[in-house]
Amino acid sequence: MVAGISPEAAEAVEELTRMYRELPPRPTVEEVDAAAAVLASVDAEEAARLDEVAREEASARQPEGVPGELLAVLREARRNSVRLRALQQRKEAAHVVEIERRFKLFDDLIQRASRVVSGGGSDDGGVGVDKEELELELELKKKEAAVAAAAAAAEIERGSKGLVALGLEYKPISSLRRGVSAGSTDMEKLSLIQVASLIESSAKKGTTELNLRGKLLDQIEWLPVSLGKLQDVTELDLSENRIMALPSTIGSLRYLTKLDLHSNQLINLPDTFGELSNLIDLDLHANQLKSLPTSFGNLMSLANLDLSSNMLKVLPDCLGKLVNLRRLIVETNELEELPYTIGSCTSLVELRLDFNQLKALPEAIGKLEKLEILTLHYNRIKGLPTTVGSLSRLRELDVSFNEVEVIPENICLATNLVKLNLSKNFADLRALPRSIGNLEMLEELDISSNQIWVLPDSFRCLSKLHVFHADETPLEVPPREVVKLGAQSVVQYMNDMNATRGTNQKKTDVESFWTWLFSLIGCCKKDQELGLTPV
């Protein structure tokens, strides 16, 4: 019994206390904040999706053979689908906000009760509650939900004071019992609100590394706007999920140095992406990107960029601003050309452009003086620019599966080449550069499936060559039997053939001299016999 009040009042307090103890678990402050962030994100995403549907409808022509009424039904169904999905995404967050709103109401009631038992309130109504007033408050839940998260901490503290006055101990209980620890490696897949809750708790702890690889439910297609609160995070892994869009708030992660988004369903990146000024490693491979924002050029610290397995047809000119970029992977896209500004990426060491629709390389490629690896496998390239000879550090060049007709002679100035793949240019490539022997560091050479009949004489100088492939190539010099013996046998054959040719040529020259001399003497004798010259 609480001292100083009547037994009847004490009984009322005891009932109030029992009801409070029987309440369901109360959300934490982080969970309420997370729920509010989810609701805000859902509203924004729903509006964006509806705008997108409206734009598509406005730009699309009415299909022939589809009645107008049926088309109207289809369009309304699309909008309704967006709204239903948003409703489902709001469900869990709205539940958390509503629970907190109900707890807030209990806090108010307990506060009023505490004032009565402590003698600070009037007896008008006592601990009784005006029924009509309570019902009115219940009807206001929608309006209060929006501000519940911001006021949660203050209200919980205020409610706990009332509990102390009634002799109770305040113990907040999480309503999301599944583990969402940033360091957990075996957690179950997370719902949207659990992701938002993890973001809130990680932000408050000052977490620097957050790994959510493959840990989001398949239904999660976007992230809450609260992602921007992770301002201490330096490494973030969101790969192997089904994310279609990133919130614009991602630009707030100014300390981020490593971001892994591979194997998602990203269609585009927000303009704020360029604000990640400290980003060094960025993995975007295996998404559905069709373009990059113009702000992408602001990622001045970027050193490693993987854009492979997307749907890119062009790379923006702003790519040239990435002067610290060392590794650029753009394999398996739909590129038809490279921007001329690629020549400004003077730190590039590795450039992989396999499986695209490239027809040529810009002359500016020759400015990449630090480039060591250049792969162009499976494109539509007919020739290499003459500036390729300026790539003095180039160690690996792959132009296989193209339409290359001529390899420029000055490629032989790239004397550090170790691996050269010219295979499968089929009927187009008919000869190797005459001075290929200048590539004295060359260890691997593949000329398979071309129309090369004769190797150039300088081939004999490739003393370090230990791998040589010429399958499906109609070589006559050297003969096929020699090629089968290996790379050095081919080099030796070309060397012996050249030596033999030199000896034969020398012999031929000597024989020609004596033949000329004897013919000259013969002519003089004949002239004397005819009296044409004096004896």
Side-chain angles (χ1 to χ4, degrees):
M1 178 183 297
V2 181
I5 62 173
S6 67
E8 291 79 6
E11 185 177 345
V13 169
E14 185 177 347
E15 182 180 355
L16 184 60
T17 302
R18 186 180 67 254
M19 282 190 293
Y20 193 90
R21 285 174 173 165
E22 292 174 354
L23 291 176
R26 183 171 191 166
T28 64
V29 176
E30 290 86 356
E31 289 165 355
V32 175
D33 288 345
V38 168
L39 290 177
S41 300
V42 171
D43 290 344
E45 186 66 19
E46 181 183 18
R49 294 283 177 89
L50 290 174
D51 287 345
E52 183 179 353
V53 170
R55 286 195 301 271
E56 289 177 355
E57 291 176 354
S59 60
R61 297 176 59 184
Q62 181 171 340
E64 295 182 5
V66 179
E69 181 65 20
L70 179 57
L71 188 59
V73 170
L74 177 60
R75 290 174 174 175
E76 185 59 34
R78 288 171 180 164
R79 288 189 285 271
N80 196 47
S81 175
V82 172
R83 295 188 181 103
L84 281 174
R85 178 172 293 189
L87 183 64
Q88 183 66 25
Q89 291 169 336
R90 286 190 186 96
K91 184 177 179 180
E92 192 173 5
H95 178 67
V96 171
V97 170
E98 177 62 12
I99 288 177
E100 178 55 31
R101 198 199 71 80
R102 298 285 180 169
F103 266 99
K104 178 185 174 183
L105 181 58
F106 257 96
D107 290 341
D108 287 338
L109 296 174
I110 290 171
Q111 187 72 6
R112 290 170 61 184
S114 69
R115 287 198 299 268
V116 172
V117 298
S118 62
S122 66
D123 290 335
D124 295 337
V127 294
V129 181
D130 188 311
K131 189 173 182 180
E132 292 182 358
E133 180 183 347
L134 180 57
E135 289 177 349
L136 180 61
E137 289 186 41
L138 291 175
E139 291 298 320
L140 296 177
K141 70 177 182 177
K142 293 294 184 183
K143 295 181 180 180
E144 294 180 3
V147 297
E155 294 298 338
I156 290 174
E157 183 181 358
R158 179 165 159 258
S160 66
K161 293 178 181 177
L163 289 174
V164 172
L166 295 178
L168 297 174
E169 182 181 0
Y170 170 71
K171 292 182 179 180
I173 306 173
S174 173
S175 63
L176 301 178
R177 297 188 178 277
R178 282 189 287 171
V180 292
S181 167
S184 176
T185 58
D186 58 351
M187 69 173 81
E188 298 180 23
K189 290 214 171 187
L190 305 179
S191 66
L192 186 57
I193 192 170
Q194 286 178 312
V195 173
S197 182
L198 176 58
I199 289 172
E200 295 290 342
S201 61
S202 298
K204 290 189 176 182
K205 292 176 184 176
T207 300
T208 57
E209 296 182 16
L210 185 58
N211 184 356
L212 291 174
R213 173 176 292 193
K215 294 174 182 175
L216 277 58
L217 287 173
D218 290 347
Q219 294 85 348
I220 299 179
E221 297 178 349
W222 44 267
L223 296 171
V225 294
S226 54
L227 184 72
K229 293 184 178 181
L230 299 174
Q231 297 189 10
D232 293 319
V233 168
T234 58
E235 296 187 14
L236 178 60
D237 191 342
L238 297 168
S239 62
E240 298 179 13
N241 291 297
R242 298 178 65 86
I243 301 170
M244 294 181 66
L246 297 173
S248 60
T249 53
I250 193 171
S252 300
L253 278 56
R254 303 296 173 81
Y255 293 107
L256 198 62
T257 60
K258 185 176 182 180
L259 177 58
D260 193 342
L261 290 162
H262 84 261
S263 301
N264 277 285
Q265 297 184 13
L266 292 172
I267 299 173
N268 52 43
L269 300 174
D271 290 336
T272 55
F273 201 84
E275 296 175 13
L276 302 175
S277 55
N278 286 304
L279 201 58
I280 296 174
D281 298 299
L282 175 59
D283 191 346
L284 287 164
H285 87 263
N287 278 281
Q288 298 179 27
L289 294 171
K290 294 184 178 181
S291 63
L292 299 175
T294 53
S295 63
F296 205 83
N298 296 332
L299 303 177
M300 304 290 287
S301 300
L302 206 58
N304 300 297
L305 174 59
D306 192 342
L307 294 167
S308 58
S309 299
N310 277 283
M311 302 169 68
L312 296 168
K313 291 187 176 181
V314 294
L315 294 176
D317 290 343
C318 64
L319 193 73
K321 296 181 180 179
L322 306 182
V323 294
N324 291 305
L325 194 62
R326 291 177 51 82
R327 183 172 179 265
L328 176 58
I329 315 297
V330 205
E331 299 171 339
T332 319
N333 277 275
E334 300 174 14
L335 294 180
E336 295 183 359
E337 61 180 5
L338 290 181
Y340 70 95
T341 55
I342 190 73
S344 298
C345 300
T346 51
S347 296
L348 269 181
V349 173
E350 181 177 352
L351 178 58
R352 296 190 181 272
L353 300 162
D354 307 321
F355 296 98
N356 279 284
Q357 299 294 319
L358 294 171
K359 297 179 181 179
L361 294 180
E363 293 285 333
I365 204 80
K367 296 180 180 180
L368 306 179
E369 297 180 355
K370 295 182 180 179
L371 196 64
E372 296 181 6
I373 299 175
L374 175 59
T375 64
L376 299 158
H377 175 77
Y378 221 110
N379 278 277
R380 300 173 61 187
I381 293 174
K382 293 186 178 296
L384 296 172
T386 56
T387 54
V388 72
S390 300
L391 304 178
S392 58
R393 297 190 185 183
L394 196 63
R395 300 180 69 253
E396 179 180 340
L397 175 61
D398 186 346
V399 288
S400 60
F401 263 109
N402 277 279
E403 301 171 11
V404 175
E405 298 175 349
V406 177
I407 302 296
E409 195 67 32
N410 62 355
I411 195 176
C412 301
L413 298 176
T415 54
N416 281 305
L417 262 178
V418 174
K419 185 176 181 180
L420 178 59
N421 190 346
L422 305 173
S423 67
K424 296 179 176 61
N425 283 282
F426 304 105
D428 300 300
L429 186 58
R430 297 179 177 273
L432 293 177
R434 288 177 299 173
S435 54
I436 194 170
N438 288 349
L439 303 178
E440 296 181 353
M441 303 299 291
L442 198 63
E443 297 178 5
E444 298 182 30
L445 175 61
D446 192 343
I447 62 170
S448 302
S449 300
N450 290 301
Q451 289 299 311
I452 299 172
W453 294 75
V454 178
L455 295 182
D457 290 344
S458 67
F459 201 95
R460 70 184 188 278
C461 299
L462 301 179
S463 59
K464 293 189 177 182
L465 193 70
H466 61 80
V467 175
F468 177 61
H469 297 295
D471 304 331
E472 306 300 325
T473 295
L475 274 179
E476 291 185 353
V477 179
R480 180 61 52 187
E481 293 74 18
V482 175
V483 175
K484 290 179 179 179
L485 296 176
Q488 280 304 304
S489 295
V490 173
V491 172
Q492 187 62 46
Y493 178 90
M494 297 302 295
N495 188 58
D496 293 345
M497 187 185 73
N498 189 73
T500 301
R501 181 186 298 162
T503 302
N504 291 338
Q505 183 63 44
K506 194 171 184 180
K507 183 178 179 181
T508 300
D509 291 344
V510 171
E511 291 175 348
S512 298
F513 170 76
W514 287 110
T515 301
W516 169 81
L517 182 60
F518 289 142
S519 65
L520 180 62
I521 293 173
C523 289
C524 290
K525 286 183 177 181
K526 189 173 182 180
D527 289 345
Q528 289 176 354
E529 292 173 356
L530 295 174
L532 298 177
T533 58
V535 178

